[in-house]
Amino acid sequence: MRASATACSNIAFIKYWGKRDFDWNLPLNDSISMNLSAAVTTTTVEWDPALRQDEIYLEGERVLDDRGLRVSRYLDRIRADWYRMYARVASVNSFPAGTGIASSASGFAALASAALGAFGEDLPSEVEMTRWARRGSGSACRSIQGGFVEWTAGDDDESSFSQQFCPPDHWDLTDLVVLVSRSPKAISSSQGHRIASGHPFMAERQKLLPARILALKGALAQRDFQVFGEIVEHEAMEVQGIMLSGEPSALYLQPGTVSLLHAVRSWREEDGLPVYFTLDAGPNVHILCESKDAPELRRRIDKLAPRAEILENRAGPGARLHDDHLF
Ligand code: PMV
């Protein structure tokens, strides 16, 4: 009863920030993302009737802290629906942990796939798998399918799921993730969702989003990079505005973040390079371009931030089961 799965993380173009239900990770609004081909998690799960408790290994180390507890609580949900057995779980990331890349998205998409795959039965439908991933971490539901994905907020566990909007080869986009800082976040994304949900600007944001989502989907469908980039950058700044002005305030931006944001705007506005950025709940900058422009942008980033690590992502595939087990 063992299975392994690999899943990409994803970057949201329209963000999930704020929840209507914290137990089931039901979001306040629909969101849209692209899978990140260079930011993947691989997880092996083995259900073992001889175990007296779950054994969780992250990056080769047994974990007994909150991270292990979160995985065990998630496995409790699966146990409640399937078989009452403990599991051995091992998980590794292709990118450095704790750097603000959404490892919970790739992590829970891979965990859901491996844990259900290990029962040796047919996996539930893809849409049902997105619900399973969402119950672990909201954004994980957008990592089950490949390419460009839309998460419909819904209003209960049944109606909140993701669907592929366009396959990975629809558009040759690149997301250059510049790892600006490795310091841990002062405000976790769970806390951030709580603060955002009660934020006075949130009601106004909800009114604006349906038209923005429609426009973004149009730009994606037509591969209109300028319209796409303008919407995505504006969305990132709106969400940062909510983070910054929350109580307490979440200041995820580091000096290195801000200097990159200025650089992207000057490369675009002064040098005419088609490039935009987005941000997540962290200091790293996601620099978005069409892939033909990626080499030139990498040169510029290297010059500006010579020591910064860069993850170069294309639109990545969906979660998949395979036989390269970690144990
Ligand atoms: O899935 P969570 O609870 O880690 O939330 C992640 C939220 C953002 O990454 C900041 C935005 C998003 O839509 O992925």
Side-chain angles (χ1 to χ4, degrees):
M1 295 185 83
R2 184 174 57 156
S4 296
T6 294
C8 297
S9 185
N10 65 72
I11 179 66
F13 299 144
I14 300 288
K15 309 283 177 190
Y16 153 52
W17 199 239
K19 306 189 198 195
R20 76 167 66 191
D21 182 302
F22 286 79
D23 287 337
W24 293 99
N25 291 333
L26 302 179
L28 289 177
N29 52 265
D30 297 353
S31 53
I32 295 180
S33 61
M34 180 180 93
N35 276 7
L36 298 178
S37 62
V40 303
T41 300
T42 296
T43 300
T44 298
V45 175
E46 181 173 39
W47 298 101
D48 182 349
L51 285 178
R52 290 277 168 272
Q53 57 177 345
D54 295 319
E55 278 179 21
I56 320 290
Y57 298 83
L58 300 180
E59 307 292 344
E61 300 272 326
R62 175 107 190 249
V63 291
L64 297 159
D65 56 13
D66 284 358
R67 293 168 303 163
L69 202 64
R70 186 166 175 199
V71 172
S72 270
R73 286 223 192 93
Y74 181 69
L75 296 177
D76 286 343
R77 287 207 163 161
I78 294 182
R79 282 187 274 265
D81 272 31
W82 268 275
Y83 307 103
R84 310 269 156 129
M85 240 182 285
Y86 291 107
R88 197 168 290 111
V89 176
S91 195
V92 293
N93 291 322
S94 71
F95 49 95
T99 47
I101 307 295
S103 56
S104 65
S106 51
F108 278 96
L111 179 62
S113 306
L116 297 185
F119 289 130
E121 299 168 17
D122 286 343
L123 279 183
S125 71
E126 234 181 41
V127 162
E128 181 57 22
M129 285 306 297
T130 74
R131 292 194 190 96
W132 272 107
R134 187 202 74 235
R135 293 165 193 146
S137 181
S139 55
C141 78
R142 297 186 313 238
S143 282
I144 294 290
Q145 295 129 321
F148 302 86
V149 175
E150 180 175 22
W151 174 11
T152 303
D155 40 35
D156 57 15
D157 182 49
E158 184 64 24
S159 55
S160 188
F161 56 82
S162 293
Q163 277 172 307
Q164 185 183 70
F165 173 66
C166 293
D169 63 1
H170 168 72
W171 197 5
D172 197 4
L173 286 186
T174 291
D175 177 3
L176 296 165
V177 186
V178 188
L179 302 178
V180 167
S181 158
R182 289 174 183 225
S183 46
K185 291 188 208 180
I187 296 191
S188 70
S189 55
S190 321
Q191 276 171 289
H193 282 293
R194 262 181 215 282
I195 301 164
S197 305
H199 195 293
F201 296 174
M202 198 45 102
E204 203 54 38
R205 167 165 165 77
Q206 297 308 315
K207 285 189 220 154
L208 297 168
L209 275 175
R212 188 178 303 161
I213 289 172
L214 215 61
L216 180 78
K217 285 166 79 172
L220 271 174
Q222 289 161 30
R223 304 182 194 91
D224 184 332
F225 188 68
Q226 190 181 341
V227 173
F228 162 82
E230 275 164 15
I231 296 169
V232 170
E233 200 170 295
H234 172 70
E235 163 73 4
M237 288 312 225
E238 180 173 294
V239 173
Q240 287 298 318
I242 288 175
M243 292 165 171
L244 287 165
S245 56
E247 289 184 80
S249 159
L251 177 55
Y252 293 120
L253 312 178
Q254 295 288 338
T257 317
V258 178
S259 70
L260 271 164
L261 304 188
H262 283 292
V264 167
R265 287 196 171 168
S266 93
W267 296 336
R268 183 171 77 234
E269 286 160 12
E270 282 154 38
D271 306 343
L273 261 176
V275 57
Y276 293 86
F277 62 76
T278 186
L279 296 156
D280 245 340
N284 301 322
V285 182
H286 292 248
I287 297 187
L288 300 166
C289 61
E290 291 185 281
S291 297
K292 64 178 171 50
D293 296 318
E296 170 64 17
L297 284 161
R298 275 200 83 128
R299 270 194 293 280
R300 288 177 181 234
I301 299 163
D302 282 338
K303 216 164 138 195
L304 190 77
R307 279 186 301 278
E309 200 172 327
I310 302 171
L311 287 181
E312 182 164 343
N313 299 277
R314 302 282 191 281
R320 62 182 183 92
L321 287 168
H322 53 76
D323 290 331
D324 295 327
H325 304 302
L326 295 173
F327 57 85

